[in-house]
Amino acid sequence: MPVIRSTSTSTRAALLTAPLVAALLGTAAVPAAAAPSPPGESLTCRGEGVDPDALVRHRTETVIQAPLRTIWKLQTDVERWPSWKAAVTTADRLDHGPFRPGSAFRWTMPVPPNPVTSAPSLDITSTVEQLKRNSCIRWTGPATGEGLRIDGVHVWTFTKVKGGVRVSTEETHTGPQVEANVGIATEILRQGLEAWLRDLKTAAEARAHDRPC
């Protein structure tokens, strides 16, 4: 089974903050088999990447044993995210037609009670800035809750490799709340992205397995 590889530019606070992170995300920690990947250039889509000045950032990737068209469909059919992505409560397109530059969507994630924020959920409005079909997506947008705002930039790339498709993702967060504790904020981001990849991998490989020969 391919190993999720990841790297982060800020110091980790996993041992001190694991209970808080688990409460915030409602997800398990990254599997013990995971290992850091060598640092490299930031991901880009049509020449544009994440926020180069952001203090909170994370990059991770995995190989999914499924057709690229299956993975792309799952990732871009945002209104169906709640059916396979555990941390998404609702997801709605704000436009119609093909998923393309300019497409916008609003989605929500629950935030269980924790000592950092009283927000019960995050409302996220994302806009696709760059896209190349079956290759890459870059979207931006704010996540807001009670007394909380996070501005994110998120890049995804999809590359055919031996044995499947390598899905890579990188995201940056800015905002006073996350910048007040970069270690915790980065750990939350790490777990969120790696959970997303695990869910995408599980859904895509299940669909590929169920397809008639």
Side-chain angles (χ1 to χ4, degrees):
M1 179 176 177
V3 173
I4 292 177
R5 303 189 299 275
S6 59
T7 185
S8 173
T9 57
S10 70
T11 57
R12 296 187 178 277
L15 293 177
L16 295 177
T17 65
L20 172 60
V21 171
L24 283 170
L25 293 174
T27 59
V30 64
S37 65
E41 293 184 0
S42 288
L43 300 178
T44 61
C45 183
R46 294 193 177 275
E48 298 293 332
V50 294
D51 186 340
D53 299 320
L55 299 177
V56 177
R57 66 178 58 232
H58 189 68
R59 176 177 173 176
T60 187
E61 63 184 34
T62 194
V63 172
I64 300 178
Q65 297 173 334
L68 176 55
R69 64 181 179 275
T70 298
I71 300 167
W72 182 262
K73 176 66 173 176
L74 283 166
Q75 185 72 348
T76 58
D77 190 359
V78 298
E79 292 187 310
R80 294 186 181 272
W81 282 359
S83 69
W84 60 267
K85 189 176 182 322
V88 174
T89 306
T90 65
D92 298 290
R93 279 282 298 272
L94 302 180
D95 63 324
H96 302 285
F99 198 69
R100 60 194 186 277
S103 290
F105 50 100
R106 182 178 295 118
W107 45 298
T108 59
M109 299 176 61
V111 180
N114 66 84
V116 172
T117 176
S118 60
S121 65
L122 289 178
D123 297 309
I124 306 163
T125 302
S126 300
T127 301
V128 177
E129 306 290 352
Q130 285 81 28
L131 179 146
K132 183 176 181 181
R133 183 174 175 81
N134 291 327
S135 178
C136 67
I137 311 168
R138 177 181 177 268
W139 65 61
T140 65
T144 60
E146 294 180 10
L148 175 68
R149 180 184 172 107
I150 302 168
D151 288 292
V153 182
H154 202 164
V155 179
W156 294 84
T157 64
F158 306 83
T159 308
K160 289 185 178 181
V161 296
K162 184 177 181 180
V165 176
R166 182 175 67 246
V167 181
S168 304
T169 184
E170 185 174 15
E171 186 170 6
T172 54
H173 286 172
T174 56
Q177 291 86 3
V178 294
E179 290 163 1
N181 196 321
V182 173
I184 290 179
T186 301
E187 180 64 10
I188 291 171
L189 176 59
R190 179 188 73 83
Q191 285 204 20
L193 291 182
E194 292 180 358
W196 193 324
L197 282 185
R198 288 195 298 274
D199 287 347
L200 180 59
K201 178 179 174 67
T202 297
E205 291 181 352
R207 288 197 178 191
H209 178 76
D210 291 342
R211 288 186 63 198
C213 298

